[in-house]
Amino acid sequence: MTDIAGTLGSMFSLIIVTILGYVAARCGFISADIRPKLSGLIFNITLPCTILASVGKIDASTGAEAITWSLVFGIVLFFVMLAGGALACLALRVPRGERGLYLWMGVLTNTGFIGFAVLDSIFGGASVFLGSIFIALSNVFIYSVGVALLRSAGQAERAAGVGGKGASGEAARKRHRTIDVRGMLKDMVNVPLVMSLVAMVIFFAQVSVPAPIMQAAEMAGGITSPLAMMLVGLSIADADLAAVLKQPRLWGFTVIRFLLVPLAVYVLLAPLVPSALALGVFAVMLAMPTGSMAGPIAETYGQNGELPAQGTIVSTVASFAIVPVLMTIMSLG
């Protein structure tokens, strides 16, 4: 039923590419000054191409029941991830200034690269279509609500030093609240979100996209994961690698958000959901580690990308144990 070796191989490939980025940074081939432009390239060009290319890989022959439940789970996936991240922050007493980044690490997960490999190895090719539904629906919330929360968290932290006591302080806080709302509304429309909506319309309306466009999207989108992982390596090169793997709060967050929450959700819903396939996909998607895009996107919106980059490494390494544990529990059912 499962190909554990193949699944672990897919995860290990991400670590190898990250190491390549780390080595390239240490050798001077890439440096921190190019990170913002590369982050913008990924976020505005290659990531939307990845989303568009995924539509061409969908197989609509899956059963109606599994599709229906996948639509339901796809809508709630983001909010379960967000709630799981908030629970972990509460349990670990994460400092207020870092909560936004921890929540971002909990919702921006590697469902598109590791996720598809894990699904295919556990459930077979039919699950890849269901995974596409999950990603398409959750992307709408990740790149609207998630990005808005990311930016709002940074603005709130900066505003904390502006507001003082008295009328002037209250006026300053009101101005910053207004700016935050406007920023959140502005962030509701961005290139990945628009492409996610376009991709869903293409699928549900059965729109035929010319083959050259889909091929170009797949080619351009193909560099998203490796380029983003090399940027993670660049971020780690600027930090102490040994310290990255010795962060107790990051490891605690990883255990709660990516292991305990998916296990709890699976155990609670197993007696209630008739589609074992859709539920299995839901649990696997919840367990996927922080995505390689977490750091670059955080930097795109003016946040410190180092913490999400560290979270990517920690959660990806931990997934070597998390995924086999999750598969074992699901196989018992």
Side-chain angles (χ1 to χ4, degrees):
M1 176 180 174
T2 61
D3 181 8
I4 297 179
T7 299
L8 296 182
S10 297
M11 297 176 189
F12 191 57
S13 67
L14 288 178
I15 297 179
I16 293 176
V17 176
T18 302
I19 294 174
L20 290 176
Y22 177 86
V23 172
R26 287 297 186 184
C27 293
F29 297 124
I30 55 177
S31 56
D33 58 335
I34 68 170
R35 187 186 303 158
K37 290 186 177 181
L38 286 180
S39 298
L41 172 67
I42 296 171
F43 186 71
N44 295 297
I45 303 296
T46 68
L47 180 58
C49 287
T50 301
I51 296 172
L52 176 61
S54 68
V55 179
K57 301 175 183 178
I58 293 177
D59 181 7
S61 62
T62 309
E65 181 181 70
I67 294 175
T68 300
W69 278 101
S70 294
L71 288 170
V72 174
F73 286 144
I75 292 173
V76 304
L77 176 63
F78 169 82
F79 299 99
V80 175
M81 293 191 296
L82 186 62
L87 176 63
C89 287
L90 181 64
L92 298 171
R93 298 183 179 180
V94 174
R96 183 175 182 180
E98 296 181 354
R99 290 175 191 169
L101 288 174
Y102 271 89
L103 292 176
W104 180 242
M105 288 188 288
V107 299
L108 201 286
T109 58
N110 210 325
T111 53
F113 188 72
I114 295 179
F116 281 153
V118 172
L119 290 177
D120 187 49
S121 65
I122 297 176
F123 304 111
S127 64
V128 174
F129 165 67
L130 301 183
S132 299
I133 295 177
F134 276 74
I135 293 174
L137 293 174
S138 63
N139 276 349
V140 173
F141 298 105
I142 289 172
Y143 294 111
S144 57
V145 179
V147 169
L149 289 174
L150 181 67
R151 176 174 177 174
S152 180
Q155 289 180 333
E157 183 180 359
R158 291 190 294 271
V162 176
K165 295 182 180 180
S168 60
E170 180 63 25
R173 285 190 290 272
K174 287 182 179 179
R175 286 197 299 271
H176 278 281
R177 281 198 295 268
T178 301
I179 294 173
D180 284 345
V181 171
R182 290 176 179 175
M184 290 177 68
L185 292 176
K186 181 180 179 181
D187 285 332
M188 290 293 179
V189 179
N190 52 57
V191 180
L193 170 62
V194 171
M195 188 55 67
S196 296
L197 296 175
V198 170
M200 284 192 288
V201 170
I202 290 174
F203 170 69
F204 289 111
Q206 294 296 297
V207 177
S208 179
V209 181
I213 294 179
M214 296 300 291
Q215 291 172 358
E218 186 166 1
M219 290 176 62
I223 70 172
T224 299
S225 288
L227 185 57
M229 289 307 296
M230 294 193 78
L231 282 179
V232 171
L234 172 60
S235 297
I236 299 304
D238 294 334
D240 186 348
L241 183 58
V244 170
L245 299 178
K246 296 179 180 178
Q247 297 248 11
R249 182 173 283 127
L250 276 177
W251 284 103
F253 180 83
T254 297
V255 170
I256 295 173
R257 164 61 187 85
F258 298 108
L259 176 59
L260 298 183
V261 170
L263 283 177
V265 168
Y266 183 82
V267 171
L268 289 174
L269 294 181
L272 306 175
V273 179
S275 175
L277 178 59
L279 179 58
V281 173
F282 187 39
V284 168
M285 288 296 188
L286 283 175
M288 289 299 96
T290 300
S292 57
M293 287 297 302
I297 292 178
E299 290 186 345
T300 298
Y301 286 91
Q303 294 278 3
N304 180 9
E306 183 175 332
L307 181 61
Q310 293 174 343
T312 298
I313 299 300
V314 169
S315 59
T316 300
V317 171
S319 64
F320 278 90
I322 290 175
V323 173
V325 168
L326 186 61
M327 289 190 294
T328 301
I329 296 297
M330 290 192 296
S331 66
L332 296 177

